[in-house]
Amino acid sequence: MSYTVDRRGFLRAAGAGGAALGLGGTLASCGSDEPDTVTLTWWDYFTLDNFQPGMERLIKDIEENVPNVNIQRRTFPFAELDRQITLAAIAGELPDIAIVDNVAMNSLGGGKLLADLTGRVKEWGQADEYYKGPWEGCQVDGKTLGIPNNSNCLALYCNTRMLADAGVEPPTTWAELASAAEKLTSGNRFGLALSAIRTEEGVFQFLPFLWQAGGDLDTFATYGATALEFLDGLIAKKSLSEQCVGWTQQDVNIRFMDKRAAMQINGPWQIPTLKKADFDWTVVALPRDKETATCLGGENWVLTADGKHLDKAWEVLEYTQTPQALVPYLVAFGNLPARKDLADQGTWASDPALRLFLNQLAFARPRQYGPHYADASQAVAEAEQAVLTGSASPSAAARTAAAKIDKALAEQ
Amino acid sequence: MTPDHRSPANGHRSPAARRRRQGYLFCLPGLVLLALFLAYPLFYNLWTSVHEVQLSTLLGGPQRFNGLANYRAVVSDPGFWHSVRLSVVFTLGSLLFQFTLGFALALLFARPFPLNGLLRSLLLIAWLLPPVVSGTLFRWLLDAESGAYNALLRAVGLDTLTHDWLTDPGTALAGVMFANIWVGVPFNMLLLLVGLHTIDPELYEAAAIDGAGAWQRFRRITLPLMRPVSVTVLLLGLIYTFKVFDTIFVMTGGGPVDATRVLSLYVYEVFFAFFRFGRGSAAGVLLLVVPLLAGALYVHRLRKETVEGGPA
């Protein structure tokens, strides 16, 4: 045990130990391939059962149609993927292809972990087919680091019957939202449900309010206060439960399904579940204040920088963007396309709820704020929680957060 | 009896040096594992804590030596000190309750009564549960709307006492502490019970004959004789509690706002939410200080006890 190893060499060895123990599996891909077949490793976070048939079908489709390629897929829980990618970078064991949350482009994009696809994309010439938000979400420092996988955004779901009973129209402005939520609140039922949890999920739901007020992260002291004040007003009137500081978007949907909330802010991925509800609902654009705004969600396909099979991986990416591969995949996931040329194909062409979300994509803004966005995001989440739990006033919370946000955005 | 063992009577005297060499050989596998999985990460962490390591420097970027800059960044962050305060409150609060409750239960179980063994093993389940499970359990129990505690309070007409335990920044720390105490009590009870059994019953008999009441027997015999065990239990509790992560992470994720972001969660966030590895390592080193001191104290005591042959 006296030979010296460098840090990466050591971690690689440790990784091999892990693989032998059944903890990893990345090394198994080497060595046993036929001479011409390239094995590509593929990581994503689609762990739920209902995603598996669609994903398996896509991978099979790729293996059949892209010559000499074999895909080895590995999944991680949602919150684990970024962490695993950074650990893999330290160990020098990055996957060839990954599907990451579009917000991860902030941290991963600044980290030299992702392959620069700019030249390939130019040659490919399909950049114009994508909606502006999703496409811009893949651009970091003037380079293309990914291809949008699918897109989503937020809108307002309304329980049709409850609104009719209260004599309320689906709200289109903040004022209407506040009065509707108040009228719809009774007994055990809140007028509105949204997620204000202390993670990116809560921030994803808060940013539209900030943008609708006419501000952005760099003007948080002013417009953050406006948005926080609006939400604080909803809490004060009991139209919104204080408990929302602990709710994920899944929790929010459960409240809506259980009729404990008359309206909810949520994304299109809830539609398959909501179709099973025993009541009628509609979905409308998020109410506006000074501006119309919603937040862009979804995933991007990325290739990693030290991949040995970049050309092959790009070939796979190109193939996934053909309608024959992409449409059935998106339909199986209940996702929306990030490509305009697919707008009139798939279920989203006919389903009115999906249609609404697809139309909203035009306004959806990516969260693209540079490598230290995570610090800013946490400051936003804590400001919202402080106000909603009554431990700070909107203006004080916004001021505190603004200082942290400015610092995070200035660091490059 | 090991083959190596010799008494003056059997006459075989291997040279002391050979015995020592053999001893080292037996230790080797353990030492290698320790070096690989403990010493290496520890030193790597120290190395990282004095270098500029971020996501952007992970692949090929320069990882410059930056002296104490990471440490300075950590100690100048008010969030760090907030976490330190929370950790201190969390640790002392947990220790106080789990020790006193554990002691009381140990006294109870030290005397024979029907179902003693069964109840004792049931209590131990709390300690055997993985923290993620007990954390999830308590998150449900303490939930404001559907939680069992609030339902219980409402059922007995104490509606005014119902509370949003985990979503109120004022009570969230108490909530996670409650869960941690519940997990820690059986551990304290078990060790203290063992300690109680080492006290010679004749002492109590003699004291009773001399006319000492229950309280006097407890104060004059139990407490002094339990001192060494108690110190050990508290030290072990301190080491364990100061670095608790999973229970809190599962229950509140550090929130609401930053009400339960103890030091371990702070370190985790700097690392895996903000990807500032250098700064995270520095904070990790600082997190180590308290358990390390407690650990050194514990080893010191253990050695003293072995040397002096005092009560274990």
Side-chain angles (χ1 to χ4, degrees):
Chain A
M1 289 301 290
S2 65
Y3 63 91
T4 54
V5 283
D6 65 275
R7 208 162 35 78
R8 283 193 184 182
F10 171 82
L11 287 158
R12 215 170 280 147
L21 289 167
L23 299 170
T26 44
L27 289 186
S29 62
C30 313
S32 62
D33 305 330
E34 286 176 25
D36 292 323
T37 306
V38 177
T39 299
L40 300 177
T41 45
W42 164 307
W43 290 4
D44 63 63
Y45 55 59
F46 298 110
T47 52
L48 294 181
D49 282 347
N50 53 333
F51 293 141
Q52 304 319 313
M55 192 56 106
E56 277 155 24
R57 197 195 135 146
L58 175 71
I59 287 179
K60 201 160 153 260
D61 188 15
I62 292 170
E63 288 176 337
E64 277 167 12
N65 290 289
V66 178
N68 304 324
V69 75
N70 180 16
I71 292 195
Q72 203 169 57
R73 177 179 174 228
R74 212 176 147 193
T75 57
F76 298 90
F78 170 73
E80 277 289 292
L81 186 65
D82 290 1
R83 204 158 79 86
Q84 287 298 334
I85 289 178
T86 47
L87 290 175
I90 302 174
E93 291 292 346
L94 283 168
D96 297 292
I97 302 173
I99 303 178
V100 300
D101 191 318
N102 67 348
V103 77
M105 300 305 271
N106 284 299
S107 52
L108 298 179
K112 301 190 189 97
L113 269 75
L114 307 182
D116 184 358
L117 306 176
T118 317
R120 294 169 198 272
V121 163
K122 200 167 277 169
E123 212 172 293
W124 183 46
Q126 298 196 8
D128 293 340
E129 300 294 346
Y130 293 83
Y131 288 103
K132 189 163 158 276
W135 186 257
E136 278 179 356
C138 292
Q139 314 302 311
V140 180
D141 294 335
K143 286 184 271 183
T144 304
L145 296 182
I147 302 290
N149 177 300
N150 65 282
S151 294
N152 62 54
C153 59
L154 292 169
L156 185 74
Y157 288 88
C158 304
N159 183 314
T160 319
R161 181 67 183 273
M162 288 179 187
L163 264 72
D165 286 351
V168 178
E169 288 293 311
T172 58
T173 64
W174 278 15
E176 287 174 24
L177 176 65
S179 84
E182 196 180 351
K183 280 183 205 151
L184 288 164
T185 300
S186 70
N188 219 354
R189 185 180 85 195
F190 289 96
L192 177 69
L194 55 81
S195 161
I197 195 166
R198 186 180 170 267
T199 62
E200 188 54 36
E201 228 177 314
V203 176
F204 177 62
Q205 292 231 336
F206 177 78
L207 286 176
F209 287 102
L210 174 67
W211 295 329
Q212 286 154 9
D216 204 341
L217 284 187
D218 56 359
T219 50
F220 197 83
T222 320
Y223 298 102
T226 315
L228 289 169
E229 203 153 337
F230 177 68
L231 293 177
D232 196 30
L234 295 180
I235 295 260
K237 294 216 161 118
K238 305 265 180 218
S239 313
L240 173 66
S241 166
E242 230 173 271
Q243 295 296 311
C244 68
V245 297
W247 291 347
T248 63
Q249 297 178 95
Q250 197 55 35
D251 296 329
V252 168
N253 194 50
I254 289 170
R255 260 89 194 167
F256 186 72
M257 290 283 284
D258 287 353
K259 299 177 190 162
R260 282 184 284 160
M263 302 183 285
Q264 69 159 338
I265 293 178
N266 228 318
W269 61 86
Q270 305 289 10
I271 292 177
T273 314
L274 284 165
K275 286 222 162 105
K276 294 178 197 139
D278 60 351
F279 58 86
D280 290 333
W281 48 270
T282 61
V283 58
V284 296
L286 288 181
R288 54 174 291 152
D289 183 36
K290 284 205 192 87
E291 288 177 27
T292 300
T294 182
C295 195
L296 179 77
E299 284 82 27
N300 297 333
W301 258 296
V302 295
L303 306 183
T304 60
D306 69 347
K308 289 136 223 110
H309 314 291
L310 255 180
D311 292 327
K312 205 62 179 173
W314 171 253
E315 217 180 306
V316 167
L317 266 202
E318 260 187 300
Y319 177 71
T320 60
Q321 300 308 298
T322 59
Q324 60 156 326
L326 197 52
V327 173
Y329 163 74
L330 293 171
V331 169
F333 272 62
N335 276 336
L336 296 175
R339 289 175 72 108
K340 289 178 274 190
D341 57 347
L342 299 184
D344 51 6
Q345 302 185 33
T347 41
W348 51 85
S350 51
D351 184 304
L354 282 170
R355 196 81 229 160
L356 181 277
F357 277 105
L358 196 62
N359 291 337
Q360 288 302 301
L361 275 189
F363 309 99
R365 291 165 69 160
R367 291 154 285 170
Q368 213 160 8
Y369 296 102
H372 294 301
Y373 167 70
D375 301 60
S377 165
Q378 193 187 57
V380 171
E382 293 193 349
E384 187 182 14
Q385 296 220 317
V387 169
L388 300 192
T389 57
S391 42
S393 73
S395 58
R399 263 200 313 277
T400 313
K404 291 184 197 163
I405 293 168
D406 292 346
K407 196 159 159 262
L409 298 187
E411 273 180 275
Q412 286 305 325
Chain B
M1 206 182 268
T2 58
D4 214 32
H5 186 91
R6 74 214 149 84
S7 59
N10 66 19
H12 281 284
R13 266 178 181 273
S14 19
R18 194 174 145 248
R19 276 184 4 115
R20 209 172 308 142
R21 221 174 31 239
Q22 269 184 349
Y24 283 130
L25 212 62
F26 278 120
C27 291
L28 195 65
L31 285 176
V32 168
L33 284 180
L34 273 182
L36 219 65
F37 294 109
L38 200 75
Y40 177 80
L42 209 62
F43 281 106
Y44 183 37
N45 190 53
L46 278 173
W47 184 90
T48 318
S49 75
V50 290
H51 285 79
E52 197 187 314
V53 189
Q54 301 194 10
L55 205 54
S56 55
T57 64
L58 266 188
L59 280 186
Q63 308 193 336
R64 280 198 315 272
F65 174 77
N66 62 1
L68 294 177
N70 288 327
Y71 289 90
R72 271 199 296 276
V74 171
V75 296
S76 65
D77 177 7
F80 170 75
W81 292 107
H82 173 73
S83 298
V84 170
R85 277 193 296 275
L86 290 181
S87 275
V88 169
V89 173
F90 177 80
T91 307
L92 293 183
S94 296
L95 281 186
L96 177 72
F97 284 99
Q98 66 196 23
F99 181 77
T100 41
L101 289 173
F103 208 133
L105 283 172
L107 287 172
L108 177 72
F109 283 109
R111 45 188 72 228
F113 60 86
L115 296 184
N116 180 315
L118 178 74
L119 283 174
R120 209 171 356 155
S121 12
L122 281 179
L123 272 172
L124 270 181
I125 291 177
W127 181 58
L128 294 175
L129 279 181
V132 174
V133 176
S134 50
T136 310
L137 185 75
F138 272 89
R139 200 181 63 195
W140 289 340
L141 291 173
L142 294 173
D143 188 88
E145 285 175 38
S146 51
Y149 284 113
N150 280 350
L152 198 70
L153 288 172
R154 274 190 288 269
V156 296
L158 291 171
D159 291 48
T160 47
L161 291 179
T162 60
H163 194 75
D164 304 350
W165 305 104
L166 295 178
T167 45
D168 175 352
T171 55
L173 190 67
V176 294
M177 219 147 78
F178 185 54
N180 189 58
I181 291 165
W182 185 79
V183 173
V185 163
F187 175 71
N188 281 259
M189 178 201 76
L190 197 70
L191 291 188
L192 292 168
L193 191 58
V194 173
L196 284 177
H197 281 310
T198 62
I199 300 178
D200 190 348
E202 282 181 24
L203 287 174
Y204 290 108
E205 279 167 33
I209 289 164
D210 289 343
W215 169 245
Q216 269 186 315
R217 287 198 299 263
F218 176 72
R219 239 194 71 97
R220 306 272 177 195
I221 301 173
T222 315
L223 273 188
L225 287 178
M226 284 294 281
R227 228 185 64 116
V229 190
S230 305
V231 174
T232 304
V233 170
L234 284 171
L235 275 176
L236 285 176
L238 178 68
I239 295 166
Y240 175 78
T241 314
F242 201 77
K243 56 190 176 65
V244 165
F245 173 81
D246 7 27
T247 309
I248 303 176
F249 188 72
V250 167
M251 285 180 73
T252 62
V257 198
D258 55 1
T260 56
R261 195 180 60 188
V262 297
L263 208 41
S264 55
L265 271 91
Y266 175 86
V267 174
Y268 175 83
E269 275 180 5
V270 177
F271 255 99
F272 291 118
F274 306 150
F275 298 118
R276 288 203 173 88
F277 305 111
R279 203 179 287 183
S281 299
V285 170
L286 295 174
L287 168 68
L288 256 181
V289 169
V290 170
L292 217 56
L293 281 179
L297 213 65
Y298 173 68
V299 172
H300 175 73
R301 278 199 64 84
L302 212 63
R303 181 171 299 163
K304 213 172 86 188
E305 275 168 22
T306 337
V307 169
E308 291 172 0

